[in-house]
């Protein structure tokens, strides 16, 4: 992908179009840059938070989620081995029924295939202003507060993920274990690393320039043709965990 297009998409990504639970005034325009040239051993990261799970559900192992859109299934293999917190959050939200009925509010295929994004709970309300979609996240009924999860990216060969920092910020040039290849499923967020909540996106193409900056947690294993047909405004009819639900720890 041409560098100018990369930067354009990256600016859009941060500039209020791929938000994960923040208001528009919290998202300043910025752009992810290429991985840092400094090499730091990914097996001994010093960048984890003292409590990286932030009391979020954790997926130990893998799970399969089937999402139905326009009457057709999309099968997602969720990777809790390499992204336990991010995967656990997604599986928990699926089990809670959070995604049922939500709109894909952001679809970018021009000038080149980019992403299909959804997961804003506000989109369940058909009267919610479309221009404000992309600002909402999951509000935990137990706390009355929005649940945020830390940015979680595991470098290749590392024993543990890096939390709350991009790999560039952490000074790690090793690529992530889970990369933005076509069919990747990742969490949307604002400029703040730990701002992801419920919004996610499908990568419509290989998006290597996002690697190390956004948290991939799974891949479409069947139904990518369905993803390719999603239009802005289409709804998730249902999402179900069909395998691996027993691997979730700390969910509802």
């Amino acid at each position: 992908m041409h560098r100018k297009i990369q930067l354009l998409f990256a600016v859009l990504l941060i500039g209020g179009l791929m938000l994960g639970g923040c208001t528009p005034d919290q998202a300043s325009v910025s752009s992810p840059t290429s991985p840092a040239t400094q090499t730091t051993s990914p097996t001994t990261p010093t960048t984890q938070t003292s409590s990286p799970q932030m009391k979020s559900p954790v997926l130990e192992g893998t799970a399969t989620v089937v999402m139905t859109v326009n009457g057709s299934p999309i099968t997602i293999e969720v990777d809790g081995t390499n992204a336990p917190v991010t995967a656990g959050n997604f599986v928990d939200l699926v089990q809670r029924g959070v995604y049922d009925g939500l709109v894909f509010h952001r679809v970018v295929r021009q000038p080149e295939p980019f992403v299909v994004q959804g997961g804003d709970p506000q989109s369940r309300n058909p009267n919610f202003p479309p221009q404000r979609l992309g600002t909402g996240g999951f509000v935990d009924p137990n706390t009355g507060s929005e649940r945020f999860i830390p940015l979680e990216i595991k470098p290749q060969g590392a024993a543990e993920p890096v939390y709350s920092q991009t790999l560039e910020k952490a000074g790690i040039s090793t690529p992530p274990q889970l990369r933005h290849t076509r069919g990747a499923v990742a969490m949307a967020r604002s400029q703040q690393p730990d701002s992801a909540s419920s919004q996610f996106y499908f990568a419509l193409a290989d998006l290597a320039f996002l690697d190390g900056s956004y948290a991939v947690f799974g891949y479409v294993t069947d139904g990518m043709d369905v993803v390719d047909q999603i239009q802005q405004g289409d709804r998730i009819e249902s999402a179900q965990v069909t395998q691996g639900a027993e691997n979730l720890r700390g969910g509802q």
Side-chain angles (χ1 to χ4, degrees), residues 17 40 43 50 96 104-105 114 124 142 153 175 196 228 233 248 251:
L17 297 176
T40 301
T43 59
S50 58
R96 290 173 179 265
F104 288 102
H105 62 272
F114 186 41
R124 183 173 287 106
N142 295 323
I153 302 174
D228 287 335
L248 185 65

Side-chain angles (χ1 to χ4, degrees), residues 18 75 89 98 134 162:
M18 293 202 72
T75 302
N89 175 70
V98 169
V162 171

